[in-house]
């Protein structure tokens, strides 16, 4: 039987942890990054950057590269990539699993937040909760908040925006963040409502604690479900066991 060779669709802290764990276990691994961030944090081991050309392109890459396993460790909201991975893996009979950090549904403050199904719904909900929003849903979601062009909005993104509205304050930064820094930022900008998405994990959780301490209302976009039939695991060790169990 062939030695395992794993393709990890990454770009997250969990994907970097997994690359390290697989390497330590002596498993061949290649990490693939989408290339949407100009200076990404790189995992250990070989890395490719760029898309595949949809499900068919990914299937060809899996087949031609002799990969025995596929792990989807992209952002929990990267639904298109996860669906392409499911289709590609099925077409070339490669086992696939999704590595997804636990969401924030179990957070102690989750019951006090306003949960929204989508970004437009989150924008509408926030309009009834505050006047000075802190927008942390990501650069690719900002078209949903175009109606706020005439409002004072604090926006935090990793990459610069091309032409943000003049009244928006854009902060370029990426986690991990700490509670004190988040408190200072929200106080400085008079934030009264925080918008985020259920990314989960520890890197960006500090803003939720800071919001509670400051009495800032929170709106959370619900996480989309994994593609039907795709197994989901929540830590690197479980994925390593899965690879070994698959043989």
């Amino acid at each position: 039987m062939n030695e395992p060779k794993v393709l990890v669709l990454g770009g997250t802290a969990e994907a970097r942890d997994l690359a390290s764990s697989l390497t330590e276990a002596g498993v061949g691994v290649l990490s693939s990054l989408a290339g949407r961030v100009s200076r990404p944090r790189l995992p250990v081991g070989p890395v490719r950057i760029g898309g595949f050309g949809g499900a068919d392109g990914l299937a060809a890459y899996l087949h031609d590269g002799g990969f025995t396993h596929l792990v989807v460790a992209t952002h929990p909201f990267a639904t298109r990539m996860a669906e392409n991975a499911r289709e590609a893996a099925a077409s070339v009979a490669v086992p696939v699993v999704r590595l997804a950090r636990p969401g924030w549904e179990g957070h102690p403050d989750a019951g006090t937040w306003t949960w929204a199904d989508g970004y437009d719904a989150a924008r509408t909900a926030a309009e009834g909760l505050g006047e000075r929003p802190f927008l942390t849903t990501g650069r690719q979601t900002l078209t949903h908040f175009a109606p706020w062009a005439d409002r004072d909005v604090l926006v935090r993104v990793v990459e610069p925006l091309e032409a943000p509205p003049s009244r928006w304050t854009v902060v370029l930064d990426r986690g991990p963040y700490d509670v004190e820094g988040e408190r200072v930022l929200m106080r400085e900008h008079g934030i009264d409502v925080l918008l985020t998405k259920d990314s989960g994990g520890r890197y960006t959780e500090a803003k939720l604690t800071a919001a509670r301490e400051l009495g800032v209302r929170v709106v959370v976009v619900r996480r989309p479900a994994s593609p039907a039939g795709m197994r989901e695991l929540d830590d690197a060790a479980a994925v390593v066991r899965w690879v070994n169990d698959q043989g």
Side-chain angles (χ1 to χ4, degrees):
M1 184 172 294
N2 293 335
E3 291 295 320
K5 182 179 180 182
V6 182
L7 177 61
V8 175
L9 307 181
T12 61
E14 292 75 24
R16 294 190 293 274
D17 289 344
L18 177 59
S20 296
S21 296
L22 289 169
T23 299
E24 291 170 3
V27 176
V29 57
L30 172 67
S31 299
S32 177
L33 309 182
R36 291 175 178 164
V37 176
S38 59
R39 291 182 295 174
R41 293 188 174 105
L42 297 177
V44 300
V47 176
R48 74 173 294 278
I49 296 178
F52 295 95
D56 290 343
L58 177 55
Y61 193 86
L62 287 167
H63 177 270
D64 296 346
F67 290 97
T68 61
H69 301 76
L70 175 62
V71 180
V72 184
T74 52
H75 192 280
F77 279 73
T79 53
R80 176 65 63 83
M81 189 69 253
E83 182 59 36
N84 285 347
R86 184 194 66 78
E87 294 180 17
S91 70
V92 293
V94 169
V96 60
V97 73
R98 190 175 194 185
L99 171 58
R101 70 190 76 154
W104 287 324
E105 299 94 336
H107 191 281
D109 300 328
T112 69
W113 304 334
T114 298
W115 291 81
D117 294 317
Y119 301 105
D120 293 331
R123 186 191 70 245
T124 299
E127 289 171 352
L129 296 174
E131 297 293 330
R132 296 182 66 89
F134 181 17
L135 187 52
T136 67
T137 53
R139 178 168 54 94
Q140 296 182 57
T141 73
L142 295 183
T143 55
H144 296 276
F145 298 93
W148 284 357
D150 60 349
R151 299 186 62 175
D152 294 321
V153 182
L154 176 63
V155 181
R156 182 164 63 197
V157 289
V158 175
E159 298 283 304
L161 304 182
E162 288 187 6
S166 60
R167 291 183 60 177
W168 287 17
T169 300
V170 179
V171 175
L172 300 180
D173 199 1
R174 59 180 167 186
Y177 305 105
D178 60 68
V179 175
E180 176 58 25
E182 298 291 64
R183 275 199 303 260
V184 169
L185 185 63
M186 291 188 206
R187 280 177 178 151
E188 285 181 349
H189 294 274
I191 298 302
D192 55 13
V193 58
L194 166 69
L195 287 88
T196 189
K197 56 189 179 186
D198 186 18
S199 301
R202 303 180 304 276
Y203 265 48
T204 61
E205 186 178 10
K207 62 189 172 189
L208 301 171
T209 302
R212 173 176 50 80
E213 294 178 356
L214 296 174
V216 171
R217 306 295 292 273
V218 177
V219 179
V220 183
V221 178
R222 286 190 179 90
R223 179 183 294 195
S226 286
M230 182 179 287
R231 185 178 179 184
E232 190 168 295
L233 300 173
D234 63 8
D235 64 45
V239 175
V240 174
R241 289 194 297 270
W242 171 80
V243 170
N244 290 329
D245 289 345
Q246 293 289 319

